[in-house]
Amino acid sequence: MRGNKSLKWSRGIMLTLAVASLSASLLAGCSKDSTGQSSPNTKQEQKSAAPKTAVGQTNTPVDEQPSTVFYEIFVRSFYDSNGDGIGDLRGVTEKLDYLNDGNPNTHDDLGVGGIWLMPINPSPSYHGYDVTDYRNINRDYGTLDDMKELIKEAHKRGIKVIMDFVVNHTSTEHPWFKEAAGGKDSKYRNYYVWAEDQKREPIGSSAAGSGNPWHEKNGAHYLGTFWEGMPDLNFDNSDVRKEMIDSGKFWLKLGVDGFRLDAAKHIYEDLASDKGEATTAKNVKWWQEFRSGMNEVNPNAYIVGEVWENSAVSVSAYLDNAFDSGFNFGLAESIVSAVQREQDANIGFTLERVYKLYEKKSQGKFVDAVFLTNHDQNRVMSQLSGNIDHAKMAASILLTLPGNPFIYYGEEIGMQGAKPDESIREPMVWNVKSGEAGQTKWEANRYNRDGSKVSVEAEAADKNSLLSYYRTLIQWRNEIPALHDGGILQYQLSNNNRSVMAYVRATANERVLVLHNLSSQEQQVSLSADNSFSSIERTTNDAAKLDNGQLTLPAYSTVILK
């Protein structure tokens, strides 16, 4: 969140190389140098047709990451079941077959294995990140019975359901806050942080970048890190912690499979001056307490945290008996940058080393959470200026990496959108014809017109569409164990032509070589002499050829070798 506005799997082979060899620049973030700035490309892209000599690390043991593909849904924008123009839970249920029909022999569904529902609790805001009741459903979206039905139907199709859980703050409309603001004698006064009660000066800069986080109410100042409508809860209060743990248990008992934890690093990181190891340790201690509580109901509940950091070191702390995953923001930047520049970003090299740290911190239990963009960022198609070739290559990279890939709704059809937030959360476009049943209308689309060619209906019928491309890549992932469950190893290409990205995906029983030609020109790659990879397993372009260790990669193509 930004501004106002069986998933815990057993692990595979342990990595044997020492964590101490990690360099500071790699741990600072996949797309950053040691100063935190984007690393410039220091070499001109080579346009020569000379073959590349590939040096493959094919015998190194790897950490496996059994995974599934998740789909992030803003319910308000997704599908309207009752004609009021607002998406709802019954609408999500109606569209489950679009996501996964439960039949592995059909290929006209997307093929995902999980959905993440953005906030569905009661809230006065359109986005729902300011909650007024942690154990109920927003009336715009339906009822608890509708939620139960959605979970039941999703599980029938093999789809896990996780939900946004927003515990850092409530709404100012929450009954707790209304009572707390009434005076110091309120039962709920200490549920929140009041400057005067704690003898603190109501000054400082928000750790979320929103200015002074102190806001006046009835002559006192409460802490609201994100904005005045979101008062921060006081996690030094054991009653608050119990409320949040009990609310999490409530949803797990209802059948939810886990949580996406909003603003996870801001539990105690409120002011910019709070940043540091001591604050991180307090955050982690709370989330370990939360995890322990969830384990009492479902030890396999999947917990993924929003720790908006590019530093692997910062994220890794939360993998110690707290989260299964932390969203990999640095990697997302690196993928988008690579396809924009049409140049390799050394992702395999970086991730192989970062995962050693994650492996150690999590005692072998982590799984990465990879994505391109989410509900707080300009949509990837807008970042790529509408270039469908670049969008396809971004999808190719995302869906062939380890961990759980998260797809933001509409990303698979190329929906665009740029800030403000409402414009990156526009209604999903289902049909070619405007005004069809199910189309949500809560917000007028600026970027994605109802009745556009960028729609599910139009793209489902086009084998060359972005939607068809996503379906194909997810199908590959579901069919090839090394893509679905494997770890990652670097695969070094020896010359300076950086148009091809390559890495090995590996399980104990299978290794495949993934190669992406990020450029608009055909590329030639000369594989290593040991012939470890001797056949084309999958390709996005049938013009790809492998002949005596020489691989021809058509422009903007992905090839899987076995």
Side-chain angles (χ1 to χ4, degrees), residues 265-535:
K265 73 171 187 170
H266 289 292
I267 299 300
Y268 290 102
E269 187 181 297
D270 304 316
L271 304 179
S273 57
D274 292 334
K275 293 177 182 288
E277 292 183 7
T279 300
T280 297
K282 288 187 71 177
N283 285 335
V284 171
K285 184 178 179 181
W286 149 246
W287 288 121
Q288 289 171 334
E289 183 180 348
F290 179 81
R291 167 95 257 179
S292 179
M294 298 310 100
N295 286 347
E296 294 175 12
V297 177
N298 180 5
N300 293 316
Y302 177 56
I303 296 180
V304 54
E306 180 198 31
V307 181
W308 200 313
E309 297 275 0
N310 284 352
S311 166
V313 171
S314 297
V315 174
S316 69
Y318 293 85
L319 301 177
D320 179 11
N321 293 308
F323 303 163
D324 299 290
S325 305
F327 283 107
N328 200 328
F329 285 90
L331 177 60
E333 290 182 10
S334 189
I335 294 171
V336 175
S337 175
V339 299
Q340 285 174 325
R341 297 187 302 161
E342 300 192 353
Q343 292 188 351
D344 179 29
N346 295 319
I347 285 174
F349 176 86
T350 301
L351 287 182
E352 184 181 349
R353 285 149 182 79
V354 167
Y355 288 167
K356 294 171 192 174
L357 174 63
Y358 288 178
E359 179 72 22
K360 180 179 180 181
K361 285 287 188 178
S362 70
Q363 300 87 46
K365 295 179 288 186
F366 90 97
V367 60
D368 206 357
V370 298
F371 68 105
L372 298 177
T373 60
N374 65 21
H375 61 278
D376 285 324
Q377 301 167 305
N378 292 344
R379 282 187 173 271
V380 66
M381 186 58 98
S382 289
Q383 292 188 44
L384 299 176
S385 302
N387 187 317
I388 192 169
D389 291 318
H390 287 173
K392 286 181 175 180
M393 295 316 300
S396 281
I397 297 170
L398 174 70
L399 293 168
T400 57
L401 286 176
N404 294 330
F406 283 75
I407 299 168
Y408 185 37
Y409 81 95
E411 201 166 78
E412 76 279 14
I413 60 173
M415 283 178 61
Q416 298 199 35
K419 295 279 189 173
D421 286 347
E422 290 86 344
S423 294
I424 54 179
R425 304 167 184 173
E426 289 186 350
M428 178 74 170
V429 185
W430 293 100
N431 300 296
V432 173
K433 185 178 178 182
S434 180
E436 292 287 288
Q439 183 64 49
T440 63
K441 302 169 186 175
W442 72 272
E443 174 81 358
N445 282 8
R446 292 178 55 202
Y447 290 90
N448 308 284
R449 301 295 182 185
D450 179 20
S452 167
K453 291 182 180 179
V454 177
S455 66
V456 172
E457 183 183 12
E459 296 189 32
D462 180 2
K463 67 178 182 179
N464 296 315
S465 69
L466 186 60
L467 174 58
S468 294
Y469 197 88
Y470 266 84
R471 287 173 171 173
T472 295
L473 267 293
I474 294 172
Q475 182 183 340
W476 289 6
R477 189 179 183 92
N478 290 336
E479 292 174 347
I480 300 174
L483 291 183
H484 190 272
D485 300 331
I488 192 168
L489 297 167
Q490 65 172 312
Y491 193 89
Q492 185 177 352
L493 302 174
S494 66
N495 74 3
N496 293 328
N497 186 336
R498 297 180 60 193
S499 296
V500 175
M501 180 183 291
Y503 41 83
V504 174
R505 295 293 313 282
T507 63
N509 300 314
E510 180 182 57
R511 294 185 182 228
V512 298
L513 176 60
V514 181
L515 300 106
H516 308 287
N517 180 0
L518 304 176
S519 76
S520 60
Q521 297 186 6
E522 179 182 282
Q523 299 293 329
Q524 302 290 325
V525 175
S526 182
L527 302 180
S528 56
D530 63 7
N531 270 337
S532 298
F533 303 102
S534 57
S535 64

Side-chain angles (χ1 to χ4, degrees), residues 6-12 63-66 300 364-366:
S6 108
L7 283 181
K8 187 179 177 187
W9 301 274
S10 61
R11 307 311 304 265
D63 164 63
E64 295 182 356
Q65 295 187 49
N300 293 316
K365 295 179 288 186
F366 90 97

Side-chain angles (χ1 to χ4, degrees), residues 6-298:
S6 108
L7 283 181
K8 187 179 177 187
W9 301 274
S10 61
R11 307 311 304 265
I13 307 167
M14 295 290 290
L15 287 160
T16 58
L17 300 178
V19 173
S21 65
L22 294 175
S23 68
S25 62
L26 288 172
L27 293 179
C30 291
S31 63
K32 304 292 182 180
D33 62 21
S34 59
T35 68
Q37 301 300 311
S38 297
S39 301
N41 176 42
T42 57
K43 298 181 181 179
Q44 292 292 328
E45 182 179 2
Q46 302 297 308
K47 299 297 184 181
S48 167
K52 297 182 178 184
T53 301
V55 181
Q57 295 187 354
T58 57
N59 297 312
T60 305
V62 296
D63 164 63
E64 295 182 356
Q65 295 187 49
S67 67
T68 194
V69 179
F70 279 84
Y71 190 86
E72 179 187 359
I73 297 175
F74 182 37
V75 175
R76 185 171 298 274
S77 284
F78 197 60
Y79 195 80
D80 171 20
S81 72
N82 61 7
D84 66 357
I86 298 173
D88 46 51
L89 294 177
R90 290 186 178 184
V92 176
T93 303
E94 284 188 38
K95 284 299 182 180
L96 286 176
D97 282 348
Y98 166 74
L99 300 172
N100 189 333
D101 63 9
N103 184 349
N105 297 316
T106 61
H107 304 301
D108 55 357
D109 55 347
L110 200 55
V112 305
I115 56 175
W116 154 23
L117 301 177
M118 287 172 60
I120 56 174
N121 300 116
S123 167
S125 300
Y126 84 92
H127 49 70
Y129 282 100
D130 47 347
V131 174
T132 58
D133 183 349
Y134 283 97
R135 302 182 196 178
N136 213 332
I137 297 292
N138 189 321
R139 287 185 298 176
D140 286 346
Y141 296 166
T143 66
L144 283 170
D145 284 339
D146 293 334
M147 183 64 173
K148 292 175 185 177
E149 182 69 11
L150 169 58
I151 293 169
K152 182 183 76 172
E153 290 300 318
H155 287 173
K156 279 183 183 179
R157 294 162 172 80
I159 301 172
K160 299 291 184 179
V161 180
I162 67 172
M163 61 179 281
D164 237 311
F165 200 46
V166 187
V167 307
N168 178 71
H169 49 262
T170 69
S171 168
T172 51
E173 297 299 312
H174 196 293
W176 297 343
F177 185 78
K178 286 184 174 182
E179 286 198 37
K184 292 184 179 181
D185 295 333
S186 167
K187 171 185 175 181
Y188 296 105
R189 181 73 170 189
N190 199 36
Y191 271 43
Y192 299 89
V193 181
W194 299 89
E196 289 78 8
D197 294 2
Q198 297 189 2
K199 296 180 170 52
R200 298 170 64 177
E201 288 291 323
I203 58 176
S205 297
S206 166
S210 59
N212 189 333
W214 296 101
H215 311 282
E216 192 274 335
K217 182 75 173 179
N218 297 336
H221 295 82
Y222 65 89
L223 185 68
T225 301
F226 286 93
W227 76 298
E228 64 183 25
M230 296 175 173
D232 283 26
L233 286 165
N234 176 14
F235 279 83
D236 286 331
N237 183 340
S238 60
D239 290 338
V240 169
R241 299 198 303 274
K242 185 177 185 303
E243 287 277 8
M244 293 301 103
I245 290 171
D246 287 348
S247 293
K249 289 179 177 180
F250 170 86
W251 291 107
L252 293 185
K253 290 174 182 177
L254 196 78
V256 168
D257 298 291
F259 303 103
R260 178 263 186 184
L261 300 174
D262 180 66
K265 73 171 187 170
H266 289 292
I267 299 300
Y268 290 102
E269 187 181 297
D270 304 316
L271 304 179
S273 57
D274 292 334
K275 293 177 182 288
E277 292 183 7
T279 300
T280 297
K282 288 187 71 177
N283 285 335
V284 171
K285 184 178 179 181
W286 149 246
W287 288 121
Q288 289 171 334
E289 183 180 348
F290 179 81
R291 167 95 257 179
S292 179
M294 298 310 100
N295 286 347
E296 294 175 12
V297 177
N298 180 5

